Amino acid sequence: MRRFLGPRLLALATLIILPLGLYLLDGGPAYAATRPSSGATGTTAALEGAYAAARHLPAGAVGGVRAGSLHTGSVSGVEWAIADFVPAASAASGVQSAFQDGAASAVFSQSPGGPWRVVVSGPYGCGTGLPQSLISAWGLARPSICDGVTASQRSRAASAAAQAATGSGLGERIAHTALTQVGVSDLPAETSFSGVDCDPYSTLVGAQSPNADGCGLNANLNVENENEAWCSDFAKWVWQQAGVTADMGLINAGSVSFYQWGLAVKESLPIDGGTPAVGDAVVFFPPGTVSSSTYADHVGIVSSVNADGTVDLVNGDFLGSTNISVEYDTDINLTTWASQVWNQGEQWVLVAPPAGPRVPNPVAAVSGPSRAVVGTSLDFSALGASSGGSTTYQWTFGDGRTTDVTGGQAGHVYAEAGIYPVTLTATSSAGTVTTRTQDVDVVGSSSTVADAISPAVWYSPGPVDQYLFLPGKGSGLVSDVWDGAGWLQQALPGSLDAGSGLTSLSYPDAAAAYAMIPHAYYSSGGTLAETYLGASGWTSQALAGQPAGGSAIVATTGTGSGGSGPAIFYVDAAGQLAETEAAGGSWTTSTIPGTHTGTPGSLAVADTVTPAGAGVDLFYLSGQTLMAAASVGGGWIVSPVAFGVNPKSPLSAVSTGADQVRVLFVDGQGRLAATRRNPALWTTQVLPGAPSPATALEATSYLEASGALGEEVYYLTASGPSVTYSAGQGWQAQALPGSASGILGADAYQWAGQPQRLFLASGGQDSADQAAAPAGPWTGSALPASPATFADTVLLYAATPADAASAQSAAAAAGLPAAQVTTSFDNAWGATLSGDYLVIAVGSAAADALDYNVCGWSNPSGDDPGSTPFYYAYGPLDQLPGADVYEWAAAADASQTPALAADLAYYATHGALPTGVSSLPSPARSAYACAGQPT
């Protein structure tokens, strides 16, 4: 399975490393995802690396193993370990918060001859995943939190909430608010902190770091979930809902921010002391000094103080046996309970909500669309005011951490279909905060090319996966896949009819835990069919509907409620437009009224948004007339929109705004032309460009350097491929380099920071051309001619000229082409991240670069200097090791590096070492040093 399924669907891969050539560092298995903490050696360093790799933490994030938490033992020949980790003091606050709520602990196992791997991450005291004999031997407490939320707990919380509602004080309001949330859980469900952690409270408090990729919709609070450790977000939301306003801008995803808030409002904050009161926040700290810069493990809300001095707590982001939820934990002795959940010596601090009068919050509201079309510009405005001061505004858009902006006005472009939370945080000069959230339902239409962003690195999503679906040999289906490193062709299940239309969509699929999943649609045996990448790999299935022979097939996510779609459109055997739509887990087929068409291969679709909801515009030909079928109020309105069209013209359409669509065609005089609706009036114009007869048209939008959107259409001319694009001052035509016999497809919508791509067929050698802008410069690369074998996935990476020469020699000795050697750190990063390649790092410069990236070279994930999510394996491999793993081909004696690289490359492609070779040179140690060049 590929990485875009994300950590929620992929367990950490177990490396199969043969005994021959297995090497250990400091007596422990070779794992290194981050620089080991100072003094970490042997098993400790190995566990640190395995933990960081499983959690996809940046380099240097792990500060070490918490004193007294490491236990190791053996059961039936398998080694087991449990450890609790502390974040490095230098780690960013958002990264530190990822250690909270039990996520800092992990259970590990090690099979004979293999590396340590994470079994599950979760609260230390639970020991989830460990054999019972070790749980007992190590004295783990198994507190009630390990079981999660039960029906009894929900019932007791409801009774307590009803009791709290009878009070009128701030504490009672806080308790009531917290208790009513007991049982609210992650969506998708998670049973380890190694996956996404999708909750509604991060959305509702305007958290600055999470995103909604891979998250579902919370039906209770009616917002899209976002991915973040959320105990502090939950506690902040509870306080705000109950009326706490003072200095709420000081509280963020880090639990310690509640302690910082208490210091700011001049509270006395004794350690393990004070008298708890209803409504207090309880912040839990590891042993040691507590200060405003100290990492904290968790924060919970006191909902009741009992006569015997114990308290009842409501805790957000607690991992149970079936999900991560808001839990209700009763009759707690804070010191004893804290030590059971985390470890001996765990400390606690009470932070009280303000007793004084409430400071007025700023008034705030969001003005902007609730529905949108992929690839179109959206505008949002903040409406607000503060009493007696100024107001500042912060916007998040739910599609990545690099898109946050400030100011009263904000613009944004979404590149994928889905539901995204737009959150406005208004902060007054007095420090009071108001948060407003509005979900935006983003719909998108299909293309031959499907994009999906990779959530493999939670703190820095990227790169963008791209799938070009094509007919394979015979009646098969293939996909050329780009994953930030190179192109591989995959043979996919499914059989295409000769001349079948072929299109694809990517959207968050609830059937795959809300992962962004590519789907291909086509005709098979006269019946509509799809191939998609689900939880268990690529799958094909027949759908309802019978497209006519040679019919184009187009699709959109824009017809279902909440963008749930999709809907697929085609021409049936009677020449009638037809629709097959997903609804309620089944597929239904219906015809669309209107004139028939004698040109089933000419069909285009575009999405629109109106006050009534998401809409679809279909375009087809009836003789020389361009017809539009628009979905309006659950029905269809069919009307002519342009005349004098070449009766065999291909069609292509692009959404240019919420209710604006442009349709491209060839007119009766052979000229490129377009008709546009803006918003209800259709106007037609001739554009520059001279398309060849029967050329394909591929219309898309693109991002200009200013951030504005432009439009472009690709086609073939007598001299080669060309593009006509809107350049701000009018339309221009630009010839593209090379020659082509056909256009295979183009990016449907461009991602910020990613090139735009055009895919061409030429004499049996398909190619991908890319550029940052339509005017170029354009560069081309050949696409694979056949599905990849394992040998095609072996990639040697070198970071110095001498090591590049060694890598080329090793490739030649293994029978690999020179093209499977790269000197690009960017390519090596993408290949290692994907799990589609066996990356062999040749020489210490390359191996250390993938281990640490001390030099800070740019990479597809946009990660920081000193950061990689990768770990390495020693020993020969002849299978893909899984995402984030690379092979170490740097010898302790540098003169033996060429031999080590050649032996590993040969074993990868032949399953055995070269004749006469019985052992491998000793490997070098990992070194935290900058060496080599990025390309």
Side-chain angles (χ1 to χ4, degrees):
M1 290 185 287
R2 294 181 49 75
R3 75 177 180 280
F4 70 82
L5 291 179
R8 60 193 174 277
L9 293 180
L10 296 179
L12 180 66
T14 302
L15 301 183
I16 300 177
I17 302 178
L18 302 183
L20 176 63
L22 176 65
Y23 293 88
L24 307 180
L25 283 178
D26 298 323
Y31 267 98
T34 70
R35 185 181 187 184
S37 59
S38 176
T41 59
T43 299
T44 301
L47 295 178
E48 285 183 20
Y51 169 77
R55 299 284 326 280
H56 291 280
L57 295 168
V62 180
V65 173
R66 186 171 295 182
S69 72
L70 175 60
H71 293 283
T72 60
S74 179
V75 175
S76 302
V78 176
E79 294 296 320
W80 293 86
I82 188 172
D84 194 41
F85 301 89
V86 294
S90 60
S93 60
V95 174
Q96 288 197 10
S97 68
F99 285 71
Q100 295 175 167
D101 309 331
S105 300
V107 169
F108 305 83
S109 69
Q110 182 188 37
S111 300
W116 286 105
R117 68 181 182 91
V118 171
V119 176
V120 66
S121 61
Y124 184 87
C126 297
T128 304
L130 283 170
Q132 184 58 50
S133 60
L134 295 180
I135 291 176
S136 301
W138 296 341
L140 301 180
R142 296 286 303 172
S144 61
I145 68 157
C146 304
D147 299 325
V149 180
T150 64
S152 173
Q153 190 180 112
R154 290 174 189 266
S155 176
R156 287 184 285 114
S159 297
Q163 178 62 36
T166 64
S168 58
L170 175 60
E172 286 79 10
R173 293 199 302 273
I174 291 173
H176 177 264
T177 301
L179 287 162
T180 59
Q181 301 303 299
V182 171
V184 174
S185 303
D186 273 10
L187 188 67
E190 292 289 346
T191 55
S192 175
F193 282 112
S194 294
V196 292
D197 192 358
C198 295
D199 75 287
Y201 307 104
S202 297
T203 300
L204 291 167
V205 299
Q208 303 302 300
S209 61
N211 60 70
D213 283 329
C215 295
L217 181 71
N218 183 278
N220 294 11
L221 297 165
N222 196 33
V223 294
E224 187 75 2
N225 289 349
E226 290 188 302
N227 177 24
E228 182 168 83
W230 51 274
C231 67
S232 183
D233 292 340
F234 168 73
K236 177 180 180 178
W237 179 81
V238 167
W239 269 22
Q240 285 184 299
Q241 291 296 111
V244 179
T245 63
D247 296 311
M248 281 289 98
L250 297 176
I251 299 179
N252 55 41
S255 299
V256 69
S257 63
F258 269 85
Y259 182 81
Q260 295 165 345
W261 181 91
L263 293 176
V265 298
K266 310 301 184 183
E267 288 192 14
S268 173
L269 302 172
I271 309 302
D272 293 345
T275 302
V278 174
D280 284 356
V282 188
V283 185
F284 296 91
F285 290 91
T289 302
V290 172
S291 71
S292 61
S293 60
T294 304
Y295 159 79
D297 281 314
H298 177 70
V299 59
I301 297 293
V302 176
S303 63
S304 179
V305 179
N306 304 316
D308 60 359
T310 63
V311 299
D312 299 342
L313 287 184
V314 180
N315 295 290
D317 201 29
F318 261 24
L319 176 67
S321 57
T322 59
N323 204 352
I324 299 171
S325 309
V326 179
E327 289 199 7
Y328 181 44
D329 301 290
T330 58
D331 303 317
I332 287 172
N333 177 294
L334 287 173
T335 299
T336 302
W337 184 80
S339 295
Q340 289 177 338
V341 175
W342 287 280
N343 211 338
Q344 292 299 315
E346 187 76 8
Q347 306 168 98
W348 50 272
V349 175
L350 297 170
V351 181
R358 174 176 174 174
V359 180
N361 282 338
V363 176
V366 174
S367 175
S370 59
R371 293 182 174 89
V373 177
V374 167
T376 61
S377 296
L378 309 181
D379 294 315
F380 297 91
S381 298
L383 307 175
S386 296
S387 125
S390 60
T391 305
T392 59
Y393 301 99
Q394 173 84 26
W395 298 87
T396 66
F397 299 99
D399 62 344
R401 303 172 180 226
T402 61
T403 61
D404 299 351
V405 296
T406 59
Q409 309 293 318
H412 195 66
V413 177
Y414 287 100
E416 283 187 321
I419 299 176
Y420 299 92
V422 174
T423 303
L424 169 68
T425 300
T427 304
S428 72
S429 54
T432 57
V433 172
T434 296
T435 305
R436 294 289 181 261
T437 296
Q438 175 178 300
D439 279 347
V440 180
D441 181 0
V442 182
V443 298
S445 55
S446 63
S447 167
T448 309
V449 182
D451 290 344
I453 197 166
S454 167
V457 183
W458 63 267
Y459 56 88
S460 184
V464 175
D465 293 321
Q466 197 162 67
Y467 301 81
L468 171 66
F469 293 97
L470 300 167
K473 294 180 179 179
S475 61
L477 175 68
V478 299
S479 177
D480 288 343
V481 184
W482 170 265
D483 57 10
W487 292 97
L488 288 176
Q489 188 173 104
Q490 297 177 340
L492 305 181
S495 177
L496 277 70
D497 293 338
S500 168
L502 178 61
T503 196
S504 65
L505 284 173
S506 285
Y507 58 91
D509 195 334
Y514 300 95
M516 191 65 67
I517 299 297
H519 299 247
Y521 305 103
Y522 50 91
S523 177
S524 179
T527 298
L528 189 66
E530 72 167 333
T531 294
Y532 64 95
L533 187 51
S536 57
W538 288 98
T539 302
S540 65
Q541 66 175 355
L543 307 178
Q546 288 76 43
S551 172
I553 296 174
V554 295
T556 179
T557 63
T559 61
S561 173
S564 60
I568 304 105
F569 303 95
Y570 47 90
V571 178
D572 65 16
Q576 190 80 31
L577 289 184
E579 172 188 11
T580 294
E581 182 177 9
S586 62
W587 294 86
T588 59
T589 297
S590 60
T591 56
I592 296 171
T595 58
H596 291 200
T597 177
T599 317
S602 297
L603 184 63
V605 64
D607 288 298
T608 57
V609 168
T610 67
V616 176
D617 282 338
L618 283 172
F619 303 96
Y620 66 101
L621 293 178
S622 177
Q624 293 182 292
T625 301
L626 176 65
M627 305 294 297
S631 61
V632 178
W636 293 89
I637 296 177
V638 181
S639 59
V641 295
F643 304 93
V645 180
N646 184 318
K648 295 183 179 179
S649 172
L651 302 177
S652 190
V654 60
S655 299
T656 60
D659 56 359
Q660 301 171 10
V661 174
R662 193 183 304 275
V663 189
L664 286 301
F665 57 90
V666 177
D667 70 12
Q669 299 179 50
R671 300 173 301 182
L672 180 65
T675 187
R676 186 187 187 204
R677 186 185 66 200
N678 183 18
L681 178 65
W682 290 94
T683 58
T684 301
Q685 68 181 124
V686 175
L687 304 181
S692 296
T695 182
L697 299 178
E698 288 286 344
T700 73
S701 60
Y702 69 94
L703 290 170
E704 298 177 353
S706 64
L709 278 172
E711 302 165 58
E712 59 191 353
V713 57
Y714 300 102
Y715 50 91
L716 295 185
T717 69
S719 58
S722 290
V723 61
T724 293
Y725 62 98
S726 59
Q729 304 300 318
W731 289 87
Q732 296 183 19
Q734 173 82 31
L736 303 182
S739 61
S741 58
I743 292 179
L744 302 174
D747 282 340
Y749 304 101
Q750 187 187 359
W751 285 86
Q754 299 288 327
Q756 52 189 306
R757 288 196 176 101
L758 171 66
F759 300 93
L760 300 169
S762 179
Q765 179 60 70
D766 298 342
S767 64
D769 288 0
Q770 67 180 43
W778 287 82
T779 59
S781 59
L783 295 177
S786 59
T789 65
F790 177 77
D792 296 324
T793 68
V794 178
L795 182 70
L796 288 83
Y797 165 54
T800 69
D803 290 334
S806 298
Q808 288 289 1
S809 296
L816 298 172
Q820 286 176 235
V821 173
T822 184
T823 57
S824 166
F825 179 72
D826 189 276
N827 284 357
W829 180 291
T832 307
L833 188 72
S834 72
D836 289 333
Y837 294 85
L838 171 55
V839 177
I840 302 175
V842 179
S844 292
D848 289 334
L850 287 178
D851 199 12
Y852 299 126
N853 190 19
V854 178
C855 299
W857 296 334
S858 63
N859 56 77
S861 296
D863 208 357
D864 299 326
S867 300
T868 86
F870 308 135
Y871 54 102
Y872 52 79
Y874 292 133
L877 297 174
D878 63 347
Q879 63 178 24
L880 293 178
D884 305 336
V885 187
Y886 65 100
E887 246 187 314
W888 188 278
D893 180 348
S895 67
Q896 294 183 316
T897 288
L900 178 58
D903 292 343
L904 293 177
Y906 191 92
Y907 192 96
T909 52
H910 300 280
L913 292 175
T915 302
V917 177
S918 59
S919 62
L920 300 178
S922 298
R925 294 178 180 271
S926 177
Y928 192 76
C930 175
Q933 299 86 41
T935 58

